[in-house]
Amino acid sequence: MAVLQIYGKNHGPDLVCHKDSYPPGKNGGVSGCHKKRLEPSSSWSRPVARVWTVVLLLGTCLLYCARVAMPICTVSMAEQFGWSKRESGMVLGSFFWGYCFTQVLGGYVSDRVGGEKVLLLSAAAWGSMTAFTPILAHLCSQPIFCMTLARFLMGLLQGVHYPSLASLCSQKVVESERGFLMSTVSSGSYLGTLVIGGAGSVMLDVYGWGSVFYVSGLLSVLWAYCMWKYLLEGEGPIITLESLGSGGTQSKMTKRHWLRLLKQPAVCAVIVTHLCTACTFFTLLSWLPTFFRDTFPDAKGWVFNVIPWLVAIPSSLFSGCLSDHLISQGFDTASVRKLMQFFSMGVSSMFTILLCGNPSFPWAVAFVSATMGLSTFSHSGVSVNVQDLAPSCAGALFGVMNTCGAFSGVLMVYFSGYLIETTGSWASVFALITTVNLLGLCTFLAFAEARRVDIDFSKVRHHNIHI
């Protein structure tokens, strides 16, 4: 009498016994019983995954084109509407407050109905908002109020993008290919910043600031339409209360399950590590231009504003290929994630601390480029690790991570400005960045895992099959 345990549908890929009309084995085994590892039937095939990778890369590129349109045009808009520096800062800062509030909601809905639907609806919404921004500015009697509200809504709409990507990747991409997809798609942020920085500046000078919003917004709407028409094949992206309640293919997570999940050391580790990664990235992104202008006033701006992002794109792609290759060769997934994060936070900190030694302009650009390039390795580390730990709620959990990272990032940017004013030295800022990086790295190396923790295996319902 043989007894086989087959776990419920919430269990990960398991070994199960399939009964066929085979003769008994020579070793006296069960007649017709062979073991087969189940793979998720909803996963994309490799050709389909490659198509989606290119489409999502383009979507993330357009996301940043629409996001950076306002910072590029702020000076021209301030001159036209008479904004002060404080009012311009209020318009720009309102985006991040909206961005923080929809992270968890976007991930939760994506886990329920599918990340592709949330991506489609949000892209159509923020693309339309971007295209209508110049019209709102001219029609409203108080442009400062309309633009602040518009940027806040842009933050709300774009806040669901990355949690939806995490949810979609956990549902549709096999473990050995997640690193490449996420790192490739994430490189779209650097590509979009470069594209809008170059093409947007030309359009601003030739056609005026409104053209930057019109082009980036309409292209985003066109991308959403093509995704709906050709990839979703015209399927209606309708999100109903019934679909939210049913939860689709993902398991329901009760409050008790969430509390148990957040008590897991590995989950706390990814949250803390992502928080540290976001803090250092936002700080570098916000203060590096000022550092170069203060330290090297005669340097050409395009050099330090372009070269680090040009380095970041191939670095992000390389990290994804490397991590997937190592996993496919049989290396432990957790070890690969830790290796990627070591490069992202450990090796990059070596170059960051070198900026404290008053380097020359070429060396400073080289150190910053190395720092930004190596930091992209986190796309194959902590950013993907959340999908290893909790694929059933990866979107919502990534939303929690991103919310914590966004809030802490804004606070660290302000604190870095305080350090610069009080100490008069950039070395204090780079030392702070290095310290935060090492804190996140040590936490990840000590507690990170790659096994599923969103299921209580001790209480998983199973069935006994008697043969």
Side-chain angles (χ1 to χ4, degrees):
M1 184 72 67
V3 180
L4 301 178
Q5 290 184 338
I6 301 181
Y7 289 91
K9 63 180 180 180
N10 289 338
H11 195 280
D14 293 296
L15 292 175
V16 299
C17 182
H18 294 267
K19 185 176 182 180
D20 295 308
S21 55
Y22 295 122
K26 294 180 180 180
N27 58 355
V30 180
S31 174
C33 183
H34 64 283
K35 291 182 178 180
K36 179 181 178 181
R37 182 169 292 277
L38 293 178
E39 295 292 345
S41 59
S42 61
S43 296
W44 290 327
S45 63
R46 178 163 294 183
V48 173
R50 293 295 180 259
V51 172
W52 272 96
T53 300
V54 174
V55 171
L56 295 174
L57 167 65
L58 181 59
T60 304
C61 177
L62 291 171
L63 178 92
Y64 269 77
C65 286
R67 181 181 300 185
V68 181
M70 180 64 78
I72 289 178
C73 300
T74 298
V75 175
S76 298
M77 296 176 70
E79 293 176 354
Q80 179 175 342
F81 298 116
W83 295 345
S84 64
K85 293 291 185 182
R86 181 181 61 83
E87 290 173 328
S88 298
M90 182 174 64
V91 172
L92 294 174
S94 60
F95 173 88
F96 294 99
W97 294 112
Y99 187 73
C100 293
F101 288 120
T102 51
Q103 297 281 332
V104 179
L105 177 63
Y108 173 81
V109 175
S110 299
D111 291 334
R112 298 299 223 181
V113 303
E116 65 277 10
K117 291 185 178 181
V118 178
L119 285 172
L120 174 59
L121 290 175
S122 64
W126 56 255
S128 301
M129 175 66 71
T130 304
F132 277 105
T133 295
I135 299 175
L136 292 173
H138 288 100
L139 291 181
C140 186
S141 59
Q142 295 292 332
I144 184 67
F145 172 77
C146 287
M147 292 300 95
T148 301
L149 179 61
R151 288 297 289 176
F152 179 77
L153 293 176
M154 275 286 290
L156 288 176
L157 295 171
Q158 290 199 351
V160 306
H161 184 83
Y162 281 104
S164 299
L165 280 179
S167 177
L168 181 63
C169 184
S170 68
Q171 297 171 19
K172 300 293 186 179
V173 183
V174 296
E175 182 183 70
S176 60
E177 297 181 0
R178 288 174 183 167
F180 175 78
L181 186 143
M182 288 299 293
S183 62
T184 302
V185 172
S186 297
S187 68
S189 61
Y190 314 119
L191 180 61
T193 303
L194 286 174
V195 169
I196 197 65
S201 299
V202 174
M203 289 188 291
L204 177 64
D205 294 336
V206 177
Y207 301 106
W209 62 267
S211 62
V212 181
F213 289 95
Y214 291 135
V215 172
S216 58
L218 292 176
L219 286 177
S220 301
V221 174
L222 178 62
W223 174 83
Y225 172 78
C226 292
M227 175 181 168
W228 170 75
K229 181 71 174 178
Y230 299 106
L231 288 184
L232 300 182
E233 299 178 348
E235 178 185 352
I238 305 301
I239 299 177
T240 63
L241 293 177
E242 182 181 357
S243 64
L244 290 176
S246 62
T249 60
Q250 299 301 308
S251 60
K252 296 181 180 180
M253 294 289 289
T254 64
K255 181 179 180 180
R256 179 174 58 84
H257 290 147
W258 270 106
L259 290 175
R260 182 181 58 80
L261 186 66
L262 294 175
K263 290 179 180 179
Q264 296 288 334
V267 173
C268 294
V270 296
I271 294 176
V272 171
T273 305
H274 186 80
L275 183 151
C276 294
T277 301
C279 281
T280 56
F281 177 77
F282 281 135
T283 303
L284 289 170
L285 183 66
S286 301
W287 287 110
L288 278 178
T290 305
F291 162 74
F292 278 106
R293 284 197 298 267
D294 291 350
T295 311
F296 310 101
D298 298 328
K300 296 185 180 296
W302 68 267
V303 176
F304 56 79
N305 283 328
V306 172
I307 291 180
W309 305 112
L310 287 177
V311 173
I313 294 174
S315 176
S316 180
L317 297 176
F318 172 74
S319 69
C321 293
L322 177 61
S323 65
D324 286 354
H325 174 72
L326 292 176
I327 293 175
S328 65
Q329 293 299 310
F331 287 90
D332 178 60
T333 301
S335 300
V336 173
R337 305 295 186 224
K338 291 180 180 180
L339 177 64
M340 297 297 106
Q341 206 60 33
F342 173 76
F343 280 107
S344 174
M345 307 185 82
V347 181
S348 68
S349 294
M350 297 171 56
F351 292 97
T352 303
I353 205 68
L354 289 175
L355 292 169
C356 299
N358 298 320
S360 62
F361 177 69
W363 279 112
V365 173
F367 293 155
V368 169
S369 299
T371 298
M372 300 305 293
L374 288 167
S375 67
T376 64
F377 276 62
S378 65
H379 300 320
S380 303
V382 65
S383 296
V384 186
N385 189 225
V386 65
Q387 301 165 29
D388 303 325
L389 296 173
S392 65
C393 57
L397 185 55
F398 191 89
V400 173
M401 293 164 50
N402 236 17
T403 300
C404 296
F407 274 120
S408 59
V410 172
L411 293 177
M412 185 163 167
V413 169
Y414 283 124
F415 182 67
S416 298
Y418 170 78
L419 283 179
I420 296 170
E421 288 185 359
T422 55
T423 64
S425 171
W426 285 95
S428 59
V429 175
F430 296 130
L432 173 64
I433 291 173
T434 302
T435 302
V436 173
N437 264 340
L438 294 179
L439 172 64
L441 177 61
C442 292
T443 303
F444 195 76
L445 293 180
F447 299 106
E449 300 178 10
R451 62 179 180 84
R452 289 191 65 171
V453 297
D454 55 340
I455 296 174
D456 189 353
F457 289 103
S458 63
K459 298 181 181 180
V460 174
R461 182 179 180 182
H462 64 272
H463 308 279
N464 290 337
I465 300 179
H466 299 269
I467 301 178

